[in-house]
Amino acid sequence: NTLTVYDWEMASVGPGVLDLLGFIQGASWQFEQLPVKTGEIISRYRARLVESGVSEQDDESWQADWDHAVMWTFVTGWVELLAQVHPSIIKTRMAALEEVIFEPVKAAIKRQL
């Protein structure tokens, strides 16, 4: 009995995994605790792709796409954004940055490169 709003304003033309990742990272960075766990959001997204006939990927292929999206998003978005954020905010939010950005990037690099 709750109302949840998902803002896809920053969605773009291209692989949907980039929009999904951008949504998850942005929301996690801003709100820390999301009302739905990240794994569930991803599972629902993948299930909906299958239901709609758009795409069905095995887990290994999905992981590769996800990892490439994580690395791409870091290089093309987060680096520039973090360069503009005041150092006091970086210091205050370092734990969130580690969890939302840096650890996923390190894991993706380890798996894919």
Side-chain angles (χ1 to χ4, degrees):
N1 293 331
T2 61
L3 176 63
T4 304
V5 176
Y6 295 100
D7 180 1
W8 291 93
E9 178 182 351
M10 300 302 292
S12 62
V13 175
V17 68
L18 292 172
D19 291 333
L20 180 64
L21 175 66
F23 169 74
I24 290 171
Q25 285 184 333
S28 297
W29 165 250
Q30 289 183 331
F31 303 111
E32 294 182 33
Q33 188 69 32
L34 300 181
V36 178
K37 296 211 180 286
T38 299
E40 187 176 342
I41 294 170
I42 293 168
S43 292
R44 289 182 184 188
Y45 177 83
R46 289 182 67 191
R48 186 65 185 115
L49 288 177
V50 171
E51 289 170 12
S52 64
V54 172
S55 172
E56 185 168 352
Q57 288 181 292
D58 61 44
D59 291 341
E60 185 177 332
S61 177
W62 171 261
Q63 186 66 60
D65 285 354
W66 184 262
D67 286 344
H68 290 117
V70 166
M71 292 184 286
W72 175 260
T73 302
F74 178 73
V75 171
T76 63
W78 284 104
V79 170
E80 180 181 359
L81 176 68
L82 293 173
Q84 298 172 20
V85 174
H86 193 275
S88 64
I89 294 173
I90 299 288
K91 185 177 179 180
T92 303
R93 299 297 310 254
M94 186 52 75
L97 283 172
E98 284 288 340
E99 182 181 340
V100 174
I101 313 289
F102 301 141
E103 291 302 325
V105 169
K106 286 191 264 185
I109 290 169
K110 187 175 182 179
R111 282 189 296 268
Q112 300 300 324
L113 298 180

